[in-house]
Amino acid sequence: MMKKFVIERDLPGAGKLSPTALAEITATSCNVVANLNEPYHWIESFVTADKIFCIHIAESEEVVREHASRGNFPVTAVYEVKNVIDPTTI
């Protein structure tokens, strides 16, 4: 069963990365996903001043960490999403 995860990555200066550097990170991540031989989806990432928060869908935290290991991406924490709410949630 696929699960949604939020991955917190400490990356000092992330907000100052150039478009070229961000494109290189993107290419690396997509290449790793293509070669994982596991069901895996990178949904999006949010770049802040010193962190990147990524939304990924995978079968387990172990697969998320394998993606990070193969891509040489830092992992500060991995959180499994249990529910999603928005302004229309009643």
Side-chain angles (χ1 to χ4, degrees), residues 12-88:
K16 295 179 182 176
L17 290 170
S18 70
T20 300
L22 292 171
E24 289 171 0
I25 291 168
T26 298
T28 298
S29 181
C30 290
N31 186 41
V32 171
V33 168
N35 291 294
L36 267 178
N37 296 321
E38 298 276 353
Y40 200 96
H41 303 282
W42 171 31
I43 304 302
E44 62 187 342
S45 296
F46 302 93
V47 180
T48 67
D50 295 312
K51 292 180 183 273
I52 298 178
F53 296 90
C54 305
I55 310 299
H56 290 210
I57 296 174
E59 290 184 342
S60 67
E61 180 177 337
E62 291 76 21
V63 177
V64 170
R65 291 185 178 276
E66 179 66 21
H67 171 269
S69 175
R70 290 187 191 189
N72 200 31
F73 301 127
V75 175
T76 304
V78 177
Y79 306 97
E80 182 181 340
V81 175
K82 298 297 186 179
N83 286 297
V84 176
I85 59 172
D86 65 31
T88 65

